[in-house]
Amino acid sequence: MATISASVADGHRCAVCQTLVFSKKGIPMAVLFVEYPKCSTCKKAKAWLDEHGVEYVDRDIVTDNPSAEELAAWIARSGLPVRRFFNSSGMKYRELGLKARLDAGMTDQECYELLATDGMLVKRPLLVGDDFAIPGFKEAAWTEVLL
């Protein structure tokens, strides 16, 4: 019984029955995992979630691209500048000359609308919870909010 209590207290999945337990903040551990399935970083991030027993809803960013409203909410939740949500290493980013456009002063609303047009423009994977949104796979940041 000590294992179950320790697991619950630490915000992890129950080691005995593998049922969902709650985070340190008292919320269920289910999160939204927005990915491009062919991306090697997304595959690595998904394996990390599986290894740590984190419940997630998987969403393909190409077939189910986030709306401008979703992006605005997630970006606000992240506390990061909108620029961090662009896939700056992607071909689309370069083709559209987005660095120069962002530098020239695109508004946040223009950014949300542009990101909503094509999932390949959005930084991925994207991890979204009730009180956080993290673009890209950063183990330390994911550990801090999930474990």
Side-chain angles (χ1 to χ4, degrees):
M1 207 49 124
T3 303
I4 293 173
S5 297
S7 293
V8 172
D10 290 341
H12 296 282
R13 192 175 271 278
C14 171
V16 176
C17 61
Q18 293 299 304
T19 57
L20 180 67
V21 296
F22 294 87
S23 73
K24 293 175 188 173
K25 299 175 184 176
I27 57 172
M29 293 295 286
V31 294
L32 177 62
F33 177 67
V34 185
E35 66 160 332
Y36 176 53
K38 295 179 182 178
C39 165
S40 60
T41 303
C42 293
K43 290 176 185 177
K44 180 179 174 183
K46 185 183 259 187
W48 186 93
L49 290 170
D50 292 339
E51 287 168 16
H52 289 84
V54 176
E55 286 281 325
Y56 59 90
V57 175
D58 197 354
R59 181 168 167 183
D60 183 328
I61 201 161
V62 174
T63 60
D64 190 9
N65 192 41
S67 68
E69 293 77 19
E70 286 176 309
L71 289 160
W74 297 344
I75 292 166
R77 197 173 301 166
S78 76
L80 298 170
V82 67
R83 184 178 209 124
R84 293 277 305 275
F85 281 76
F86 279 89
N87 177 16
S88 59
S89 61
M91 290 186 337
K92 283 268 189 185
Y93 182 88
R94 289 188 298 271
E95 286 172 9
L96 296 173
L98 290 179
K99 182 182 182 328
R101 290 174 63 186
L102 288 165
D103 288 346
M106 287 178 68
T107 67
D108 286 355
Q109 187 60 41
E110 289 170 330
C111 291
Y112 307 147
E113 290 171 10
L114 179 60
L115 287 166
T117 65
D118 189 334
M120 298 306 279
L121 291 173
V122 181
K123 177 81 171 172
R124 55 193 185 271
L126 182 56
L127 187 68
V128 182
D130 288 340
D131 60 353
F132 64 86
I134 305 171
F137 179 51
K138 296 174 188 76
E139 255 185 81
W142 287 32
T143 298
E144 184 178 326
V145 299
L146 294 175
L147 304 180

